[in-house]
Amino acid sequence: MSDQLTLSLHSRFKEHTDQLIELRWIFVILALGVISLGSRVFPGALPIPAVIALCAVMAAFNGAARAYSRRMELLNDEDLERRYTRFVYAQIILDIVFFTLFLHYTGGIENPFYVFYFVYVTAAAVVLPGRFSYCCAALCTILYSLMVVAEYAHWVPHVHLTDFVSIQRYERGLYLVVVLVSLGATLATCAYLASSIAKTLRRRERELLESNNSCEVRAGELAQLNARLADLDKARSQFVRLVTHELRAPVAAIQSYLRLILDGYVPAEKQREIIEKSERRALEQLALIGDLLDLARLQEKRGDEQPVAVDVGAVLVGVADLMRARAEDKDLLFSVEVEPGLPSVKAAPEHVKRLCTNLISNAIKYTEPGGIVVVTLAQNPNYVVGSVRDTGIGMTPEQMAHLYEEFYRTDEAKAMERQGTGLGLSIVKRIVESYGGRIWVESEKGKGSKFSFALPKMG
């Protein structure tokens, strides 16, 4: 049961308990009024002291019930619902006993107010779940029958309301039997109808509470999704600004170079140099556009490449052979170690090639001449694990926290190598994670970095 539903049940029991206490005060006041009026209408017939004593006992009981109810308001334990239930049971049962005694002292079967038994049966059906209303109907019938039989058999004195009804009428046994049977049947019917209606209402209340809980959960989920959408919108806006800036700068440079040539400010012998600069900027632009397209395809998890069984070792060796010339140009010690007999992974070949190319290219690019770049590929029980270690510029922990953000490049990286989109590692991370793998980095500023990735083996 949810906390909200439990609190609702406790609140309902508390409300019904207070209503019973209030109604009991009203009954005591009305009983005293009836006695006052009855002593005038039927002088000498009613046992006034006995009725006043009964009202006093009811008032004392009601005061104790009020005190106990206030005490339960301070409790907050798991047994609180059971306490309230037993408390309501006790109140209704004692009320029926008090009311039967009140009927006995005010005319017994001659008193037409016995119809108030129906109020107790209805209240039991509304206040408490289950079949307690049937128990109340049975209790009312039994107590009223005992009172009538005791008065009929003269076990207790009968209070006759003089000139109200003929006493001979209530000395007929058959009539009393018919009255008692009719009362019992009517009370049972009342209990059935009231409990059926109350059961339906309680079920609807529970359904409403559960629906409310469900709506609150959905509202929380929607709030989280809304916050996520706000974050995504903010990221999208920032991404658009970054892309716009990255695209605008090379285009503006190319346009400036061409304008210088067209306006005749560049001598003929310098034009080739300017055109070559324009070409380099155009190639940078093409590289950026290619990276953006790859990143978009990975973000949308679509593309022309279909996952197949890929030999990562063969792909890695092929990429390393292509990169070896660049490493030799920088006089780097470049080595590749691939463990024999590696299992395949399920991935798109172009993605694996792009993964290896970006990591090895970055290691060569950001390692000073004479440095070391070591590429290894091995396996553990579940993954094919690759690593690219270099003795390059390295990074601080603060820089590593932003490493996989789009367009992020450290100041040291920009100073060492002007060319670069800042998208390579973002693409690498998305490639690895799209196939259920992971990537991590170990780095120390000025001492190099080690990028490692793990891709799940094919089963």
Side-chain angles (χ1 to χ4, degrees), residues 214-225:
S214 178
C215 288
E216 289 184 356
V217 171
R218 293 295 178 88
E221 293 175 352
L222 288 175
Q224 293 177 356
L225 290 174

Side-chain angles (χ1 to χ4, degrees), residues 229-443:
L229 287 175
D231 292 340
L232 290 175
D233 185 65
K234 182 179 178 181
R236 181 191 61 81
S237 300
Q238 183 180 7
F239 183 77
V240 170
R241 288 195 298 270
L242 290 170
V243 170
T244 303
H245 176 269
E246 294 294 333
L247 290 174
R248 180 182 295 171
V251 172
I254 294 172
Q255 190 270 340
S256 298
Y257 291 149
L258 295 177
R259 177 51 57 189
L260 289 173
I261 294 175
L262 292 174
D263 291 346
Y265 291 109
V266 180
E269 64 275 13
K270 293 286 187 179
Q271 287 182 5
R272 181 176 180 83
E273 179 184 350
I274 297 299
I275 292 174
E276 288 177 349
K277 288 182 179 179
S278 299
E279 183 185 26
R280 285 196 296 270
R281 286 302 181 96
L283 291 174
E284 293 175 9
Q285 195 81 334
L286 288 174
L288 175 59
I289 292 172
D291 285 346
L292 288 172
L293 289 174
D294 287 343
L295 188 62
R297 281 194 291 266
L298 288 168
Q299 287 176 332
E300 296 177 5
K301 296 184 178 179
R302 65 178 179 85
D304 300 330
E305 304 85 356
Q306 296 298 324
V308 296
V310 178
D311 184 348
V312 183
V315 175
L316 180 63
V317 170
V319 171
D321 289 341
L322 294 174
M323 295 287 179
R324 194 174 298 278
R326 290 176 54 186
E328 291 174 352
D329 289 342
K330 295 186 68 173
D331 194 25
L332 300 178
L333 177 59
F334 183 67
S335 66
V336 179
E337 302 172 4
V338 178
E339 181 181 314
L342 291 177
S344 300
V345 301
K346 189 173 184 180
E350 286 301 317
H351 285 169
V352 177
K353 182 177 179 181
R354 188 64 180 270
L355 164 65
C356 298
T357 300
N358 284 1
L359 292 179
I360 297 175
S361 176
N362 281 351
I364 294 173
K365 185 187 300 184
Y366 299 117
T367 300
E368 296 287 351
I372 300 173
V373 174
V374 178
V375 182
T376 63
L377 190 66
Q379 64 175 315
N380 62 28
N382 299 312
Y383 295 91
V384 173
V385 181
S387 67
V388 180
R389 179 175 62 85
D390 63 63
T391 57
I393 56 178
M395 294 171 288
T396 64
E398 292 77 14
Q399 291 171 334
M400 285 191 287
H402 302 280
L403 191 58
Y404 301 107
E405 295 177 2
E406 288 85 356
F407 301 109
Y408 178 77
R409 297 181 73 204
T410 66
D411 294 336
E412 293 80 4
K414 292 177 182 178
M416 186 172 184
E417 183 66 42
R418 186 182 62 81
Q419 292 185 356
T421 63
L423 294 174
L425 290 176
S426 298
I427 293 173
V428 166
K429 187 173 188 293
R430 292 186 184 275
I431 288 174
V432 172
E433 292 181 349
S434 67
Y435 296 112
R438 66 186 186 96
I439 184 170
W440 65 98
V441 62
E442 305 166 47
S443 185

